[in-house]
Amino acid sequence: MDTELAGILGAAARSVRVKLGLTQADVADRIGMASEVYGRLERGHMLPSVQNLRRLCVVLNIPPHALLGLGEEFAAPPPKERSRPRAEEDGPEMRRLMRNLRRLTPVQLKLMNLVASAMQQQKKKP
């Protein structure tokens, strides 16, 4: 393993994650990796697979050349206009709720939807 590259990549990922207000668990969940493994990546103790590197770039909204410590001359042409990642719009409570909802079965999700609908109806009553 290239420890210098792992350190550069880990530091860049951590910096962007913190700027976005995400936890290690948030990023790990979104790229499909255990949070302990993601923590090792940020500390520079491992390099991600190509698939996880791509997912990390998407989740953090950062180009791969920036994560790899390469200059702008390695940047790809700018992509088409994209919407902001949800991480900037959602607070920590919403992200935590979404992470928990993703783990539910379809039946549990249906029940949660009924509870949420009932709560909204209760809120509308005077």
Side-chain angles (χ1 to χ4, degrees):
M1 176 182 80
D2 185 339
T3 55
E4 181 182 0
L5 176 59
I8 290 168
L9 191 143
R14 179 176 38 255
S15 173
V16 174
R17 174 183 60 78
V18 169
K19 284 179 186 173
L20 292 175
L22 298 171
T23 66
Q24 285 185 346
D26 291 332
V27 176
D29 187 52
R30 292 176 187 191
I31 63 175
M33 177 184 284
S35 58
E36 295 81 13
V37 175
Y38 180 76
R40 287 181 39 217
L41 186 145
E42 273 196 8
R43 289 189 299 277
H45 295 286
M46 65 172 281
L47 287 169
S49 66
V50 174
Q51 294 88 348
N52 282 338
L53 176 64
R54 183 179 187 283
R55 290 181 190 126
L56 188 59
C57 289
V58 170
V59 167
L60 297 177
N61 196 26
I62 183 171
H65 71 276
L67 269 182
L68 297 173
L70 301 172
E72 287 298 318
E73 64 271 16
F74 293 97
K80 295 179 181 175
E81 191 70 25
R82 291 172 54 180
S83 62
R84 289 186 337 179
R86 282 190 182 159
E88 292 179 21
E89 299 169 3
D90 297 342
E93 286 299 319
M94 180 60 81
R95 291 192 305 266
R96 220 172 280 123
L97 175 62
M98 293 303 294
R99 196 168 44 245
N100 286 328
L101 289 174
R102 285 187 198 105
R103 294 181 183 133
L104 298 179
T105 66
V107 171
Q108 291 171 321
L109 276 175
K110 190 172 186 177
L111 289 171
M112 287 302 298
N113 189 32
L114 290 172
V115 169
S117 295
M119 290 172 72
Q120 286 178 333
Q121 293 300 321
Q122 186 68 20
K123 185 178 167 183
K124 291 179 183 176
K125 292 181 181 178

